[in-house]
Amino acid sequence: MALALTYGTSHTLVRMRLASLRHALKDSFRLTWIVTGGLVGLVLAGGTIWVAAKGDHDVLVVVLGVWMLGWVVGPLFAGGGDETLKPEYFTMLPLPPRTLSTGLLVAALAGVAPIISLIALLSLVISGGTVAAALVAVPALLLQLFCFILASRLAVAVYGVLLQVRAGAVIAALVNAFILAFTAQGWALIVAFVSTDVQGTMAKAARIAPSGWGFDAVQAAGRGDWLQVIGLLLALAVLAGAMLFAWSALLVRRTTASHANSKPRRLLTAKTPGGAAAAKEIRSWTRDLLYGHKAIFAIAYGLFFCMMPLAIGLKSMLPWAGPAAVVMAGSMSSNLYGADGTAFWTTLMTPGSARPDVRARQRAFLLVFGPSTLMITLLLTWWSGYHSAWPLVLSALPALLGGAAGLIVACSVYSAVPTTDAHKRSGNPLNSGENEGETMGLVYVMLVLVATTCAPALLVALNAGWWGVPVGLLSGVLCWWYFGRVAARRLDKRGPELLTLLRHGRSPAEQAKKTAGFDALPKWRRTLAGFCLGFGAIPLFPQAVVPAIFKLTGNHDTKSWFLALYQTGPWQWVVIVLMAALGLSMYAFGGLTYYRAKKRAPGGSVAAVAS
């Protein structure tokens, strides 16, 4: 009876998952990202198989460990992973937790990522070397794939639990920030690690990790050690069962836990509209765990990003930890009104509240990030010993703070993305609704926009030293004032339309109108535009901005993967300029493609679409 129920549930959930995937493929934007991700995954899977064919077992077992790590940490940066079938959808059905979790696990196999991982795990068959080892590789790779998926689901579930308590949200933010910073600056840790000649230790650690148990079983079969083969396969099965049990328990907690309302610790005592709005915003940053998570994440990312090069003795990045934190904070705060959801009606229904609310959000942002980033900048610049960096960072920081404080409200009003209301958040706080891809696109655009606000101050500081500081202050104040004024006017004129968008989302007709111009473009142009927006940061930041910072701060020792630093004399600046031009051109091409596509859409204007 239980087996039949589990089979029926799994069959139904798989059909639902496939139907959702077919629906997603009809959206050209999502199709572009799915195809791009699939092609990149196939290249990585092919590389894994190539490593296995070469017979380099130490490298192969490390690569398999990276695959499992990707399954664990990847969903943490993708809004909690693919939760098309949320557990909350099935709370009213009389399904035992094990049946539901098993069905969701089987449904998770019906996707692009599991298929690509299965192709990568075929490297186990190739690495066997004998017929017996190849036969053992079949159950080993299947168990390994189940462990990958279960580890991913369990990580997201644990992460969601952490985000529901303050200390857990801080820990989760620190882990998230470290992992993201490692993707950009991990080269320094890798160089330091490799230079100590411990590659063998890494391979041994990868064999001990669960990602290496399937590989060890295949190798044991090749040696004829069948006792070890049985033990390792049983260990994989037990591990999968334990993770399934733990995930089932967390699903029960997620779908049944209730959170009692607590009495406010301190009531609002403000006597003016601006004071009330400011107090409300400060409480949002200190009491909403997702707001706090973003704040800790942004500051920690700036610190990790600029301190990782210390592993190879490089201090020239330290002065830029504060500015890097501001850029990340601005991008993470680019959807403030979208995060409000239907609670925005309280602001809309209060006459004359637009300007005080916008200014309050700006002040709250400056109070949260201004003192902390200033202290980080002062301390780390002093520690670095690069005295030439003082006018640069003290010019850039106020410009970035003011630019970010202005851009976040303007972007939130003009390009709000509907997200799940705070009181309707699922047990997975990482998932903000069906528009996660649009939210991430907004974050990427804001990274570039916020970073460019310090350009005038930096140019003056480079040519006139300390004169860049007043220019940075002036540009910061102007950005804060002008973009806040624009956002307040927009709220006054289009507030009801914004509330409708946040309450109901875009209707199918509006969604079709929004994507009509883009869908009319040739497929190659759509794909190229998505590629340029997704990868334009590579030539712009690590290949142009970072080498330029190294040269301006007098660091001539580190080369790593920075192409410009391998050149001589003036050719270094030539390569930096070319890389910057390439990155900006990629962003310009992608942005103009989307802009012109929206202009061609029925109804016409970008402003109408953004509303």
Side-chain angles (χ1 to χ4, degrees):
M1 180 67 179
L3 185 60
L5 179 61
T6 301
Y7 173 79
T9 302
S10 302
H11 183 261
T12 302
L13 292 178
V14 168
R15 292 178 59 191
M16 293 174 65
R17 179 71 181 86
L18 291 175
S20 174
L21 182 60
R22 287 194 300 270
H23 179 73
L25 294 177
K26 295 178 182 178
D27 185 336
S28 59
F29 181 79
R30 295 179 67 182
L31 176 62
T32 299
W33 281 105
I34 290 173
V35 172
T36 303
L39 291 176
V40 173
L42 286 175
V43 171
L44 296 176
T48 305
I49 293 175
W50 177 72
V51 170
K54 284 184 62 179
D56 196 338
H57 293 166
D58 284 349
V59 175
L60 176 59
V61 74
V62 172
V63 170
L64 292 175
V66 173
W67 275 96
M68 188 167 190
L69 183 63
W71 270 98
V72 172
V73 303
L76 305 184
F77 297 102
D82 183 2
E83 282 209 337
T84 305
L85 304 178
K86 295 182 181 180
E88 287 84 0
Y89 294 162
F90 310 100
T91 52
M92 300 302 292
L93 298 178
L95 294 175
R98 308 293 181 272
T99 300
L100 177 59
S101 57
T102 303
L104 291 173
L105 173 64
V106 175
L109 293 172
V112 177
I115 294 174
I116 292 175
S117 297
L118 182 63
I119 295 173
L121 287 171
L122 290 176
S123 57
L124 295 179
V125 179
I126 297 174
S127 66
T130 65
V131 175
L135 292 175
V136 170
V138 175
L141 69 88
L142 292 176
L143 287 171
Q144 201 78 70
L145 180 63
F146 275 109
C147 286
F148 283 3
I149 298 174
L150 280 167
S152 176
R153 294 293 187 266
L154 187 60
V156 170
V158 172
Y159 199 80
V161 172
L162 289 177
L163 284 180
Q164 293 173 7
V165 294
R166 196 171 303 279
V170 171
I171 295 172
L174 294 175
V175 173
N176 243 6
F178 178 84
I179 294 172
L180 186 60
F182 183 83
T183 61
Q185 294 285 66
W187 59 269
L189 299 182
I190 293 173
V191 169
F193 196 65
V194 171
S195 64
T196 58
D197 194 24
V198 291
Q199 298 93 319
T201 303
M202 182 185 292
K204 290 179 181 178
R207 290 175 186 270
I208 296 173
S211 59
W213 292 356
F215 174 81
D216 286 342
V218 173
Q219 295 300 304
R223 298 191 304 268
D225 189 350
W226 295 105
L227 184 61
Q228 185 178 3
V229 170
I230 295 172
L232 288 169
L233 294 180
L234 283 176
L236 278 173
V238 170
L239 176 64
M243 287 193 292
L244 180 62
F245 179 83
W247 184 38
S248 300
L250 289 174
L251 285 183
V252 173
R253 183 186 186 280
R254 171 175 171 176
T255 54
T256 59
S258 60
H259 305 281
N261 293 326
S262 58
K263 184 179 179 179
R265 293 186 293 272
R266 185 165 57 88
L267 299 176
L268 293 177
T269 57
K271 298 180 180 179
T272 63
K280 184 259 295 183
E281 285 303 311
I282 290 296
R283 280 163 172 75
S284 295
W285 282 101
T286 56
R287 296 184 182 180
D288 189 316
L289 295 183
L290 284 183
Y291 270 70
H293 172 79
K294 292 177 181 178
I296 297 297
F297 170 81
I299 294 173
Y301 175 81
L303 290 172
F304 287 137
F305 182 84
C306 295
M307 295 183 73
M308 281 186 180
L310 287 175
I312 56 175
L314 178 64
K315 291 186 177 181
S316 57
M317 292 290 293
L318 290 178
W320 300 95
V326 175
V327 172
M328 182 57 69
S331 66
M332 297 295 290
S333 306
S334 57
N335 194 32
L336 290 177
Y337 282 100
D340 276 5
T342 55
F344 174 64
W345 76 271
T346 58
T347 302
L348 182 65
M349 296 301 293
T350 304
S353 63
R355 185 179 180 279
D357 187 70
V358 167
R359 294 304 184 192
R361 292 175 188 268
Q362 292 180 297
R363 288 199 298 272
F365 179 87
L366 293 175
L367 285 173
V368 170
F369 294 104
S372 57
T373 54
L374 177 61
M375 182 179 66
I376 289 171
T377 301
L378 295 176
L379 290 178
L380 294 188
T381 304
W382 169 78
W383 181 25
S384 70
Y386 286 94
H387 301 294
S388 59
W390 281 108
L392 296 176
V393 295
L394 293 181
S395 301
L397 186 63
L400 289 172
L401 283 169
L407 285 171
I408 58 172
V409 291
C411 184
S412 297
V413 173
Y414 275 88
S415 302
V417 179
T419 60
T420 305
D421 281 359
H423 66 286
K424 292 182 179 179
R425 289 173 187 163
S426 68
N428 176 13
L430 292 171
N431 191 286
S432 57
E434 298 179 354
N435 302 306
E436 189 66 35
E438 195 173 348
T439 304
M440 293 305 298
L442 196 62
V443 169
Y444 291 141
V445 171
M446 280 289 287
L447 279 173
V448 179
L449 293 179
V450 174
T452 56
T453 58
C454 69
L458 276 180
L459 289 175
V460 174
L462 287 171
N463 291 281
W466 288 98
W467 283 105
V469 176
V471 173
L473 288 170
L474 179 61
S475 66
V477 171
L478 286 176
C479 287
W480 172 85
W481 171 80
Y482 176 73
F483 288 118
R485 181 168 175 263
V486 167
R489 286 186 173 183
R490 176 75 172 187
L491 276 185
D492 277 332
K493 293 180 179 179
R494 307 299 292 270
E497 290 90 337
L498 177 59
L499 177 60
T500 302
L501 173 66
L502 298 181
R503 182 178 181 183
H504 301 291
R506 296 185 179 89
S507 66
E510 291 173 332
Q511 189 69 24
K513 183 172 71 173
K514 180 188 174 191
T515 59
F518 191 66
D519 291 341
L521 295 175
K523 187 175 181 180
W524 69 267
R525 191 176 183 88
R526 300 198 303 264
T527 304
L528 184 59
F531 176 84
C532 288
L533 291 176
F535 296 95
I538 294 178
L540 180 59
F541 291 104
Q543 296 298 336
V545 175
V546 175
I549 291 174
F550 283 176
K551 287 185 64 61
L552 293 173
T553 53
N555 175 43
H556 304 292
D557 300 325
T558 303
K559 294 183 178 180
S560 185
W561 68 306
F562 306 120
L563 180 62
L565 301 183
Y566 285 93
Q567 312 304 314
T568 58
W571 288 105
Q572 292 185 335
W573 283 110
V574 172
V575 174
I576 288 173
V577 171
L578 289 176
M579 285 294 177
L582 176 61
L584 291 174
S585 299
M586 292 173 70
Y587 276 120
F589 175 81
L592 286 174
T593 299
Y594 278 85
Y595 175 79
R596 290 170 180 169
K598 288 182 178 181
K599 291 289 285 185
R600 295 191 190 101
S605 70
V606 177
V609 173
S611 300

